Amino acid sequence: MQLAVLSPLLASAQLRPARDARRATTPQDTTAQDSVALSAPKGDIETTIKYSARDSIQFEVNRKVVHLYGDAKINYGTMELTAAYIQIDYESNTLTATPVADSAGKDIGVPVFVDGSETYSAKRIAYNYKTKRGRIAEVVTQQGEGFIHSEVVKKNEANEFFGLHNKYTTCNLAHPHFYINAGKIKAIPNDKVMSGPFNLVIGDIPTPLGFLFGLFPTPKNNRASGVIVPSFGEDSRRGFYLMNGGYYFALNDYIDASLTGNVYTLGSYDARLNSTYKKRYAYQGNFGIEHTYFKNDEADVERSRSTNSLFDDLPPSTRTIFVRWSHTPEQKPGKGRFSASVSAGSSLHNQLNGNSTTSERLAASLNSNISFSKTIQNSPFNYSVKLSQSQSQNGDMNFVLPDVSFGMTSTSIYELLTKGTPTGRWFENFTFGYNLNARSNLSNRIPATNNSFNGIPVIGGNDTIREISLNDVQSIWENGRRSATHDFNINLGSYKIFKYFTLSPGVRYSEQWTDRKLTFTYNPDSSALDIDTTKFGRVYDYDVSASLSTNIYGTINFKKGKRIQAIRHMIRPNISYNFRPDFADPYFGFYQTLYVGNDTNGNPRYETLSRFESGAPGSGLQSALNFGIQNNIEMKVKAKADTTGKKFEKVSIIDNFGIAGRYNFAADSTKLSRINMNMNTRVFKVVNIGFTSIFTPYQTDSLGRDIDQYLLSGSGFKPLKVVNAGVQLSANLNPQARRTETSTPGNLPILGQKPNPFEPDYVDFKLPWSLSFDYTLNFNRGFGDQPNRVSNTVGIDGDLNLTDKWKIGYYASYDIIEQQLSSAQFDIHRDLHCWDMSISWRPFGYTRGYNLTISARSALLRDLKLTKRSSSNGINYR
């Protein structure tokens, strides 16, 4: 540090209160000053002012002014000021900072003022450290994600500042691409920016877009309450609309809420309340309730009569309500787990609500469940209680109130009975597990019994659907079904036999108790069944099994010095036997065989019917041998980057090649099942190859069903016949893109959940190009007069950076059989620095159309966008 004038006070690079400086004239006075300073009242300067300068420091003692030249810097509490020149005036308690002009006349050392989390860059700064008020000229300050350019700014003691002739923008350039032009602005740090009348300026061209006032949240934690700006558009049945407008409530650090809605010019509207909550390391969830009022346009109904539209049979106005709730806890050992997933409401809500996604509109049913589960520590026991509900679009509602489960994980029988330490004897491997499930099923569909059994009419079998109300609770409960299921899992362990084989026997037993058992009587007069019920029924199922498996290895070693050191082939054959009795045997009493009239030829017709509504164990004796074989081939090669010859890597040649089938000794015919074959591998770490096929060993009829005649019994040697087969190939040719496939941002849409197929996906300009392709070939054999069906398609997907700011994307799928494009999309993306532009075009198909979107990049101004779209399917994508 170079000093033009240096006093004892400046030697420590610190300034004390000015009145103390006057007393420090002699060593004796200095001693007295120090003793007095300990009991003196607090001066105007509340803490030490630390300063530095690269060029020089001058101290005018008489005027009590300090001049700092060249990279001047001052620290005072939470305040920091840097500039080419700074003046400290102790008489007026002010700091003044200005730049200086270089030899070319350009300002250098522009003042930068930092106060806590706020930063100001200005032409001139004057600050009173006593009153904490300041005046800043030609200032640029950052508030959250936004930047404020002001001609003059005044700052008060509450750290609020008031700007005159302002530009508010999220563009970080000195000359922004766009800004909100406002005469007056007030900024409250870490809270909000407020303005008077404003208008939007783009490219220095004023636009008429604006409002009487502006409110821009700038919270410290990026969350603040505020208005949600709606989007506008047109719906073919509701008219013009304002969509998703409302208010967002940042209630606290754990919970927020939003109240939004849609308004349509033809009288319809939607209203929604959504809330998200989260407590770290405990739970998280969201809750929402929606209400829709749909006004049916009679003229529009008449125009769509020929289309059998959903709206044709609706009354002039329809109201719906819907509730959504999701709750997910953090898993903690020894603690209970309460979770919920609720989607319930009016059956037509998702069809009428303007914000429903495509998957919600097409859903055939809605499902809800609330559950509590717990695993008891230091024990094999666990339990759960669950409430669930499902509803379909025709008004059917089914409830499970409650669903109670109790279980014991598989535990060593020896340890349970003896509490001793296992010694390795064979029977000590036996384990036992148990699960109990008791449930009560309720429904608002009230049948007399059932409509039919195996297509046979039932006397009094007409269903009625009742509205859910307190008056119908008793009838719904009486119509309910109660049951309890017991599952016993007995594992007899695994044993090595003949040194190389593993034998695993097992026993399974299951039993179900129900509150009714059916007895059938055929009434020839009405050609229908008469059903009688008893209050209790018991049905059980069991089987025994044993499996035998081994691993076979074959290795070919190559000479030392070769890059390929060895090739290994691993074979995993396995066979298993399963036996289950024929539970349709009258001995068990689970089925009833009775005469049900004559067939079309006048012969007596008999049917075997299950006596349990929940279903009886499968009929037919099972004495089956399952067989399969899995193959894996890989080679050991020297690492390319290795120069020592001691590092190797494994390269897979075939990841898996498998064959599986089944032979049922007890079957009357076609004892051998169809044979499944599959294979998958990856070539050069780029091309993924998959193959699947199904073969039949039997001759088939005109409907494709196997008949009890092997193909080998015909002419020639033909053991198997292909029923269907498929080959899939895919590859991504950009290594950099392959590395980032698992690290793409979490906001990418999930398949089937993207509401608008035209909305642009995440665009990564850091990848200069990407190119991937896929090829699919499927074969399905035709039977009888039906020809073979073959599909053969190839697809290409990728993008290319034309410049640092321009990117094009493309996708196309070509049907080789039909020799035409089956689908295609072309995208253009432009990085406009603080804006993004995207254009998507689908020339044909169900979702053909285009979409143009220009939007501000900042999340703060995410509603500042222009969207133009055209879609041919009539769906209003949100």
Side-chain angles (χ1 to χ4, degrees), residues 543-555:
D543 61 59
V544 294
S545 62
S547 65
L548 186 67
S549 62
T550 188
N551 291 332
I552 303 173
Y553 299 91
T555 304

Side-chain angles (χ1 to χ4, degrees), residues 12 62 70 129 151 166 170 204 228 299 305 407 449 534 593 642 820 832 874:
S12 64
N62 296 332
Y129 50 78
E151 289 187 7
N166 309 274
T170 56
D204 292 331
I228 301 175
R305 286 293 182 187
T449 49
T534 57
T593 302
D642 178 44
Q820 65 180 10
L832 299 174

Side-chain angles (χ1 to χ4, degrees), residues 716-784:
F717 180 76
K718 191 176 182 181
L720 297 172
K721 179 172 63 179
V722 177
V723 177
N724 59 63
V727 178
Q728 302 84 33
L729 287 83
S730 64
N732 192 330
L733 302 182
N734 187 340
Q736 187 178 2
R738 290 197 301 271
R739 288 194 299 268
T740 59
E741 281 178 352
T742 58
S743 60
T744 51
N747 61 345
L748 287 176
I750 299 173
L751 183 63
Q753 296 184 358
K754 185 178 180 181
N756 185 356
F758 295 110
E759 287 294 335
D761 287 332
Y762 170 76
V763 179
D764 188 357
F765 281 91
K766 295 179 181 179
L767 288 177
W769 65 275
S770 69
L771 177 63
S772 61
F773 74 89
D774 61 87
Y775 172 78
T776 303
L777 173 63
N778 287 314
F779 168 82
N780 289 277
R781 181 176 296 277
F783 298 95

